[in-house]
Amino acid sequence: MNLEDFDYELPEELIAQTPLEQRDASRLLVLHKDTQEMEHKQFPDIKQYLHEGDCLVLNDTRVMPARLYGIKEDTGAKIEVLLLHQQEEDTWEVLVKPAKKVKVGTVINFGNGEIRADCTGLKEHGGRILKLSYEGIFYERLDELGEMPLPPYIKEQLPERERYQTVYASEEGSAAAPTAGLHFTNDLLSDIRAMGVSIEFITLHVGLGTFRPVDEANIEEHDMHAEFYRMSQETADRLTAVREKGGRIISVGTTSTRTLETIARDNDGEFTESSGWTDIFIYPSFEFQAIDGLITNFHLPKSTLIMMVSALAGRETIMQAYQEAVAKRYRFFSFGDAMFIL
């Protein structure tokens, strides 16, 4: 398929720059994929579309303050580093800017030497391998020096770090939030449980794979960057039981979807305990084996994420829904409104 098939016009003022004061105050576009019917609701109305016996699957990853600003030891040049994932103790794959200034052997200092990084390897698209050294506990140093890695289209400062975390975030290691989950409050989750809807947690640490731009005109030539995922056997057993009893599995976010579909793909459509690295790329013609519905935000033009939702609901249907969302002045991207595809 052609990359241009996933483009759309978005007025810049519809890109949400700040989160709403109340997490669940966002709007909700409900898209019925079989009939192409659309409904305009508020996020708490999601309860109207959930049934006893259904299951919501959420990604419990927690965002690290993964953006660091440092200087090269030899020249004093300013370097920006985004931690992507830990390869082994104190060795990280990162993105650096400007990449041309960081070669093997480059040393970068952060703070007053509180963290020191030696570049030991080169990766494509500005990726580097850094060996870190520091005093004390790394995550304490990172909490002192790092910033939350907000996407580049967000120009405003985030007043509270926790507002870029889901209320159920627990597993440290993500370079970005699983933003579909930002709409949920503890009270809303309690209400959903009280309806007889089960809630399960899996982990996918969001990295470059989710957000790396697609450069190839033929999208099938795009290579996804791998991201780490994990699901327990207990969760797998409960998901299997939901399916056997006729309940629906509703994925909260594209990251949960990538995890569930990776596990189903690798296990003949079944759920089982699993962990590892996934580079699954979901675009139209993909056959879903794990999920029945998806709660998600509105995604960037020509991104792998809009390709995923197009695979679930159909490209033309998604493009019509996005046109409708623009016309109705929905808020887009990380801090924006939500869509429920069912």
Side-chain angles (χ1 to χ4, degrees):
M1 298 190 73
N2 195 294
L3 181 60
E4 296 301 321
D5 293 337
F6 300 92
D7 198 10
Y8 67 92
E9 293 291 331
L10 179 68
E12 188 173 352
E13 66 267 19
L14 296 186
I15 300 174
Q17 291 296 315
T18 56
L20 298 175
E21 185 174 342
Q22 293 179 256
R23 287 177 179 264
D24 61 355
S26 51
R27 297 166 69 189
L28 179 70
L29 192 157
V30 180
L31 175 61
H32 300 267
K33 61 180 185 291
D34 292 334
T35 64
Q36 289 83 54
E37 178 189 359
M38 288 178 251
E39 300 178 81
H40 301 285
K41 301 287 186 175
Q42 296 298 124
F43 195 79
D45 295 331
I46 203 163
K47 292 182 290 186
Q48 299 176 13
Y49 302 92
L50 299 173
H51 312 307
E52 183 176 358
D54 288 344
C55 179
L56 288 184
V57 182
L58 300 93
N59 182 3
D60 62 6
T61 188
R62 185 170 179 82
V63 186
M64 304 178 294
R67 181 165 281 126
L68 291 162
Y69 295 93
I71 59 170
K72 287 180 65 177
E73 248 185 17
D74 55 353
T75 66
K78 295 179 180 180
I79 303 294
E80 176 184 335
V81 170
L82 176 64
L83 302 177
L84 291 178
H85 68 80
Q86 191 172 15
Q87 292 191 330
E88 54 189 53
E89 186 176 5
D90 299 332
T91 300
W92 288 77
E93 182 179 351
V94 307
L95 286 178
V96 298
K97 293 181 182 177
K100 63 182 180 181
K101 292 189 177 181
V102 180
K103 301 176 173 59
V104 171
T106 297
V107 178
I108 309 168
N109 276 321
F110 305 96
N112 295 315
E114 293 179 71
I115 299 177
R116 185 176 183 271
D118 294 89
C119 180
T120 60
L122 307 181
K123 307 279 282 188
E124 60 181 4
H125 304 292
R128 297 292 185 270
I129 305 299
L130 298 184
K131 174 72 173 177
L132 306 183
S133 57
Y134 48 88
E135 293 292 330
I137 299 172
F138 174 67
Y139 282 103
E140 290 182 358
R141 301 289 80 75
L142 186 62
D143 197 52
E144 294 167 0
L145 299 175
E147 294 184 2
M148 295 303 278
L150 297 178
Y153 50 76
I154 293 178
K155 311 301 181 185
E156 301 288 334
Q157 292 295 314
L158 186 65
E160 297 179 49
R161 282 186 176 183
E162 285 302 305
R163 199 56 185 82
Y164 195 53
Q165 306 279 13
T166 62
V167 296
Y168 46 81
S170 61
E171 299 298 317
E172 191 98 37
S174 194
T179 55
L182 295 178
H183 304 282
F184 287 92
T185 64
N186 286 318
D187 285 345
L188 180 56
L189 290 171
S190 295
D191 289 347
I192 290 170
R193 285 191 180 97
M195 295 168 53
V197 176
S198 58
I199 294 175
E200 297 294 338
F201 296 97
I202 51 84
T203 302
L204 183 138
H205 292 319
V206 187
L208 189 58
T210 297
F211 297 107
R212 196 178 117 201
V214 179
D215 297 322
E216 292 79 7
N218 178 1
I219 67 168
E220 296 177 26
E221 296 176 2
H222 176 71
D223 291 324
M224 293 288 287
H225 193 277
E227 295 169 314
F228 179 79
Y229 71 92
R230 178 173 57 242
M231 183 169 74
S232 70
Q233 186 60 52
E234 293 77 10
T235 297
D237 291 342
R238 289 191 289 265
L239 290 176
T240 299
V242 167
R243 177 181 281 173
E244 289 174 346
K245 294 176 182 177
R248 297 174 301 168
I249 294 175
I250 309 296
S251 177
V252 177
T254 57
T255 59
S256 297
T257 302
R258 293 190 75 207
T259 302
L260 293 171
E261 293 297 336
T262 294
I263 293 169
R265 177 197 64 183
D266 294 345
N267 295 280
D268 296 322
E270 302 298 321
F271 296 118
T272 188
E273 179 180 10
S274 185
S275 66
W277 296 86
T278 179
D279 60 358
I280 194 170
F281 181 17
I282 299 175
Y283 58 88
S285 78
F286 182 87
E287 295 186 7
F288 288 85
Q289 300 182 72
I291 71 166
D292 301 294
L294 170 63
I295 299 165
T296 188
N297 281 16
F298 293 93
H299 304 297
L300 275 72
K302 299 194 277 190
S303 65
T304 61
L305 305 181
I306 197 171
M307 294 170 194
M308 179 189 292
V309 296
S310 295
L312 183 61
R315 189 193 69 83
E316 291 185 3
T317 301
I318 286 295
M319 290 305 167
Q320 290 171 2
Y322 272 54
Q323 289 175 9
E324 177 86 354
V326 169
K328 297 287 188 181
R329 309 293 291 177
Y330 276 70
R331 302 167 78 243
F332 277 65
F333 304 162
S334 295
F335 290 138
D337 295 315
M339 173 186 283
F340 187 8
I341 303 171
L342 74 165

